[in-house]
Amino acid sequence: PAVQAPARKTKKKLSAGGGGYVLEDVPHLKDYLPHLPSYPNPLQNHPAYSVVKQYFVNPGDTVSKKIVVHESSARGTHFRRAGPRQRVYFQPGEVVAAIVTCGGLCPGLNTVIRELVCGLHDMYGVGSVVGIEGGYKGFYARNTVELTPRSVNGIHKRGGTVLRASRGGQDTAKVVDSIQDRGINQVYIIGGDGTQKGAAQVHEEVQRRGLKCAVVGVPKTIDNDIAVIDKSFGFDTAVEEAQRAIDAAHVEAESAENGIGVVKLMGRNSGFIAMHATLASRDVDCCLIPESPFYLEGKDGLLEFCEKRLRENGHMVIVVAEGAGQDLIAKGMHRADTHDASGNRHLLDVGLWLSQKIKEHFKKKTNLPITLKYIDPTYMIRAVPSNASDNVYCTLLAHSAVHGAMAGYTGFIVAPVNGRHAYIPFYRITEKQNKVVITDRMWARVLCSTNQPCFLSHEDVEKARQDEEEPHVPLIEGENSLVRTS
Ligand code: ATP
Ligand code: MG
């Protein structure tokens, strides 16, 4: 039966102590199926859970978005804490779970798939899990594969996704028809910003049709560009793998006369990989990211800096995020934008362009002959299996997702906020992107460690401050978290 969907945004204003705070809550199946029965969580019979009751999460627990708050503004945003509940809304035998991966590759996809399957099976005794092959379109192309702990054993040691992924438009109604036809009642959707927008639509349609089906998103973005959350899976691995490319560029640069190594790293709109790889490596002389505009010519321009570094040091390494300098490259070019199947704009190759500009510049300087090597490790980085820390992270993500769906929550993505896993409504992460905040001290650390020109004008700083989600109040000397810097 068709049931009226409740309002999509479920903000609740609550008060605690003296101040008030907002709980940005996620929907629950009970919101539109009020008479849904609940059952004791099978984990209550688990030898550990039966003794240590605090392994269960109190349904009233929330996670605060900000740890450091000034006493004058002790309010803020909270999210529902993730974890197993004492009561669940699915019986193990009743669950038919589906897993799908969409978008580009990212280290850790297979680990999430494996841990969803094993988590459902080992913790809740769920026996029916299917993998939808080839992204959203696989729902109605009827490409499915049965997933069991046995069939997913060892896949976390491989890169890529065993379910294959795809880009491109999907028909939400047809996806939900397929969910309904096959009796799927838990859908786990692993993918980036585009995928989660699609997941929100699937959830709305499921809810509109009044289906008992939990729709859960596991955010995937190697660029770490998802808002609110601490970091996304695969990011750690990407930074680690990027080191190898930077090392290679450094070796090349050091071994030539006036050697310049240019490394292009992932980061369409957010320069987190470039920033962290730069900070980790210490061999980088200049880091260019989309958030911080730069220029080539003139005083304190990039070319002048290159000259200075070569004269001082004899070699240099430049790291550039793929989305950096796009406006600069496009200037003077008469070229219409092109897009991929999902509608993402194709970027111009900033690495090639930069290498060309540097070569042209030094050609004129006959007393400074250079040797430039350009490395683009993108597809090598995306394809590696996740490292140890990402494997642990993916495992926790998958398990939190399973606990949430079993407890009846739906229409949410799972991720850590300030180190605690939380259930976050879709709209919260799809409406805004996570960016490097160039007015934050993390970017200052990069500028200090490389000694590169800051390229920023007072107007740029003012604009950046206006873009900050919650402007930094420089009252207290507080440390921001390492990855999420707003
Ligand atoms: P990444 O960009 O990190 O590789 P992504 O999830 O953003 O991952 P996309 O190729 O943009 O990758 O999208 C993946 C899937 O999500 C595609 O099937 C696409 O049709 C769908 N999708 C993308 N954007 C939207 C949107 N705005 N609304 C609904 N569905 C979308
Ligand atoms: Mg995307």
Side-chain angles (χ1 to χ4, degrees), residues 81-99:
R81 186 177 174 193
R85 301 329 203 227
Q86 296 265 8
R87 299 200 68 80
V88 294
Y89 283 79
F90 290 93
Q91 287 182 298
E94 164 196 8
V95 175
V96 182
I99 303 173

Side-chain angles (χ1 to χ4, degrees), residues 251-465:
V251 167
E252 289 284 351
E254 245 186 346
S255 309
E257 195 191 348
N258 297 317
I260 301 180
V262 175
V263 181
K264 185 176 77 174
L265 295 175
M266 288 91 82
R268 289 180 62 86
N269 302 303
S270 310
F272 287 102
I273 295 180
M275 175 167 89
H276 282 255
T278 295
L279 280 169
S281 151
R282 295 281 161 187
D283 287 332
V284 179
D285 296 281
C286 186
C287 173
L288 303 170
I289 58 170
E291 295 88 337
S292 181
F294 66 92
Y295 49 92
L296 299 178
E297 314 284 345
K299 189 167 157 24
D300 294 326
L302 183 65
L303 295 170
E304 186 194 90
F305 174 69
C306 291
E307 234 176 283
K308 184 168 146 262
R309 283 308 288 157
L310 290 182
R311 290 193 199 281
E312 281 168 3
N313 216 22
H315 69 272
M316 73 178 298
V317 175
I318 301 172
V319 162
V320 57
E322 63 182 321
Q326 291 296 313
D327 294 345
L328 206 55
I329 313 173
K331 241 184 221 166
M333 273 176 95
H334 300 287
R335 176 185 166 279
D337 282 348
T338 57
H339 299 85
D340 72 10
S342 294
N344 304 305
R345 184 163 68 100
H346 283 132
L347 295 177
L348 299 160
D349 190 332
V350 63
L352 268 182
W353 173 83
L354 195 59
S355 302
Q356 200 54 40
K357 289 286 178 195
I358 294 173
K359 281 182 193 165
E360 280 169 17
H361 175 77
F362 282 99
K363 215 169 177 177
K364 292 182 241 155
K365 311 241 157 201
T366 41
N367 61 340
L368 208 60
I370 61 156
T371 308
L372 185 145
K373 295 284 185 282
Y374 168 43
I375 300 177
D376 177 359
T378 305
Y379 290 106
M380 299 191 67
I381 294 177
R382 280 167 32 135
V384 296
S386 43
N387 67 10
S389 88
D390 267 325
N391 268 333
V392 173
Y393 178 39
C394 290
T395 302
L396 300 190
L397 268 185
H399 289 189
S400 295
V402 167
H403 291 312
M406 289 301 295
Y409 294 106
T410 180
F412 67 89
I413 67 114
V414 58
V417 178
N418 286 323
R420 293 266 185 251
H421 280 240
Y423 299 138
I424 304 163
F426 281 126
Y427 70 83
R428 199 57 165 75
I429 63 146
T430 51
E431 68 191 6
K432 202 170 192 293
Q433 257 185 339
N434 187 27
K435 301 234 185 199
V436 172
V437 181
I438 53 174
T439 46
D440 189 279
R441 264 183 296 123
M442 198 63 180
W443 184 239
R445 290 184 184 109
V446 174
L447 297 179
C448 292
S449 87
T450 57
N451 249 327
Q452 70 193 63
C454 127
F455 298 116
L456 293 171
S457 64
H458 290 295
E459 293 81 65
D460 292 332
V461 174
E462 200 38 54
K463 186 175 175 299
R465 282 188 62 85

Side-chain angles (χ1 to χ4, degrees), residues 98-118 129-135 138 143-166 190 220 233 382-386:
I99 303 173
V100 65
T101 53
C102 312
L105 293 188
C106 174
L109 282 166
N110 280 336
T111 313
V112 175
I113 297 169
R114 184 195 132 103
E115 291 307 323
L116 286 171
V117 176
C118 294
V129 186
V130 294
I132 307 292
E133 291 184 316
N143 303 339
T144 53
V145 52
E146 201 182 317
L147 298 173
T148 62
R150 208 185 160 87
S151 74
V152 296
N153 189 26
I155 63 169
H156 60 298
K157 295 183 181 159
R158 285 194 253 150
T161 158
V162 293
L163 295 177
R164 292 185 283 113
S166 73
I190 312 166
K220 171 234 65 149
F233 73 80
R382 280 167 32 135
V384 296
S386 43

Side-chain angles (χ1 to χ4, degrees), residues 147-287:
L147 298 173
T148 62
R150 208 185 160 87
S151 74
V152 296
N153 189 26
I155 63 169
H156 60 298
K157 295 183 181 159
R158 285 194 253 150
T161 158
V162 293
L163 295 177
R164 292 185 283 113
S166 73
R167 297 197 191 273
Q170 74 282 3
D171 184 332
T172 302
K174 276 162 87 178
V175 168
V176 180
D177 287 347
S178 162
I179 288 170
Q180 200 167 2
D181 290 352
R182 299 183 212 208
I184 293 167
N185 48 25
Q186 293 185 3
V187 192
Y188 297 92
I189 302 173
I190 312 166
D193 54 339
T195 305
Q196 301 310 334
K197 284 176 192 154
Q201 292 167 3
V202 170
H203 163 65
E204 276 167 28
E205 181 60 18
V206 159
Q207 190 167 306
R208 200 186 61 77
R209 295 189 194 184
L211 305 178
K212 182 187 177 185
C213 176
V215 181
V216 183
V218 183
K220 171 234 65 149
T221 141
I222 200 163
D223 295 352
N224 195 40
D225 55 5
I226 290 193
V228 182
I229 74 177
D230 291 350
K231 66 170 178 178
S232 46
F233 73 80
F235 174 71
D236 244 30
T237 307
V239 171
E240 200 171 296
E241 199 61 19
Q243 300 297 289
R244 288 152 52 94
I246 295 173
D247 285 348
H250 187 232
V251 167
E252 289 284 351
E254 245 186 346
S255 309
E257 195 191 348
N258 297 317
I260 301 180
V262 175
V263 181
K264 185 176 77 174
L265 295 175
M266 288 91 82
R268 289 180 62 86
N269 302 303
S270 310
F272 287 102
I273 295 180
M275 175 167 89
H276 282 255
T278 295
L279 280 169
S281 151
R282 295 281 161 187
D283 287 332
V284 179
D285 296 281
C286 186
C287 173

